[in-house]
Amino acid sequence: MSIRWTYAFLDRPAPSDAPAGAFWAAVTGTRRSEPTGDSEEFATLRPDGTDACVGVQRVLSGGGGTHLDFSVDDRAGFTASALRLGAAPVAEHEGWSVLRSPAGHVFCAVPWHGESVRPPVVHGSRLDQVCLDVPPQTYDVEVAFWGGLLAGWESLPGSLPEFHVLRPPAGLPLRVLLQRLAEDRPVSAHPDLACADIGATRARHEALGAVFVAAFRHWTVMRDPSGAPYCLTGRDPETGGLADRSD
């Protein structure tokens, strides 16, 4: 079993699917593909000359969010491993599986279609990370689960005690960050962009319809045109690490 590629899927409610998709296509320098799926609910954001690693899913109920897809060369083996480690099955489709982590994060196992070339940095930023927000009582279990499932990825503490980083092998496009929440609330997930200049990226995103929420030392919280949160982080868009660290 091997993880050959990863996707961040941005799940957006139907009324805001189009503006959210247009926004994310603009900030990632991509174009939205033709829809796929039984209800034409899926689309990928395709860069020119490289492979997509971001998608948009139109959801018909709930507030949406973000989830990870893992492209694997042995979907049955990957799914079995996830279940042994504590995941729960959610749905089985022809060719792909939906699972739920012990804390409740939904993720998918999908076939690998030969993706291998990471999208480039665009306007000084790159969507390169999905942050999984985890309640404190399930945080340690969740860190252990993802560390076991993503065997072969580097698992290390983040820049603050409440963070844990799973850094993929060279060539894969997305890191996974686990964040221990300060309070007990449902799990959530959001995309993070590595930015050479957070202020410049923020200005460009606001011009495209994003809204500023809050600023911290190493990151700025934003909302896209659908109202969904994401973060601009002060990390090297090429390496993914902070300026004074390698992670």
Side-chain angles (χ1 to χ4, degrees):
M1 181 196 75
S2 179
I3 296 171
R4 307 302 292 266
W5 199 248
T6 46
Y7 285 87
F9 260 88
L10 313 177
D11 308 320
R12 299 297 183 258
S16 56
D17 171 67
F23 170 81
W24 286 105
V27 302
T28 57
T30 57
R31 64 188 186 284
R32 186 168 179 157
S33 72
E34 292 298 316
T36 61
D38 293 341
S39 301
E40 297 189 336
E41 69 270 37
F42 301 113
T44 54
L45 302 183
R46 295 179 176 173
D48 290 328
T50 59
D51 293 311
C53 66
V54 180
V56 180
Q57 179 180 1
R58 186 180 72 253
V59 295
L60 300 180
S61 62
T66 299
H67 76 268
L68 285 156
D69 276 12
F70 296 97
S71 300
V72 295
D73 53 13
D74 179 1
R75 183 173 59 90
F78 180 86
T79 299
S81 178
L83 296 175
R84 282 196 303 271
L85 290 165
V90 175
E92 189 68 27
H93 301 273
E94 184 175 354
W96 55 288
S97 305
V98 185
L99 301 114
R100 193 183 307 274
S101 75
H105 286 104
V106 172
F107 62 100
C108 297
V110 302
W112 179 53
H113 295 296
E115 302 97 326
S116 62
V117 183
R118 188 184 188 197
V121 175
V122 176
H123 298 291
S125 69
R126 171 185 265 154
L127 197 166
D128 72 334
Q129 183 168 270
V130 171
C131 179
L132 307 178
D133 304 312
V134 188
Q137 69 273 18
T138 54
Y139 181 75
D140 291 341
V141 171
E142 196 75 349
V143 169
F145 169 78
W146 288 103
L149 184 64
L150 305 180
W153 292 37
E154 189 174 5
S155 179
L156 67 162
S159 59
L160 294 172
E162 63 266 32
F163 293 128
H164 192 90
V165 178
L166 288 159
R167 187 164 58 191
L172 291 183
L174 297 171
R175 300 163 23 128
V176 176
L177 178 69
L178 291 103
Q179 179 177 5
R180 185 179 64 245
L181 298 170
E183 71 282 353
D184 182 13
R185 63 177 173 84
V187 300
S188 59
H190 62 266
D192 290 344
L193 289 85
C195 305
D197 183 331
I198 290 179
T201 303
R202 171 187 164 182
R204 183 168 185 271
H205 285 208
E206 288 176 330
L208 292 167
V211 175
F212 168 79
V213 177
F216 301 89
R217 180 183 175 190
H218 291 302
W219 69 91
T220 292
V221 183
M222 306 286 289
R223 291 192 182 276
D224 73 11
S226 73
Y230 68 99
C231 290
L232 306 177
T233 66
R235 297 180 294 110
D236 186 323
E238 292 292 348
T239 68
L242 293 172
D244 56 348
R245 291 170 59 102
S246 62
D247 62 345

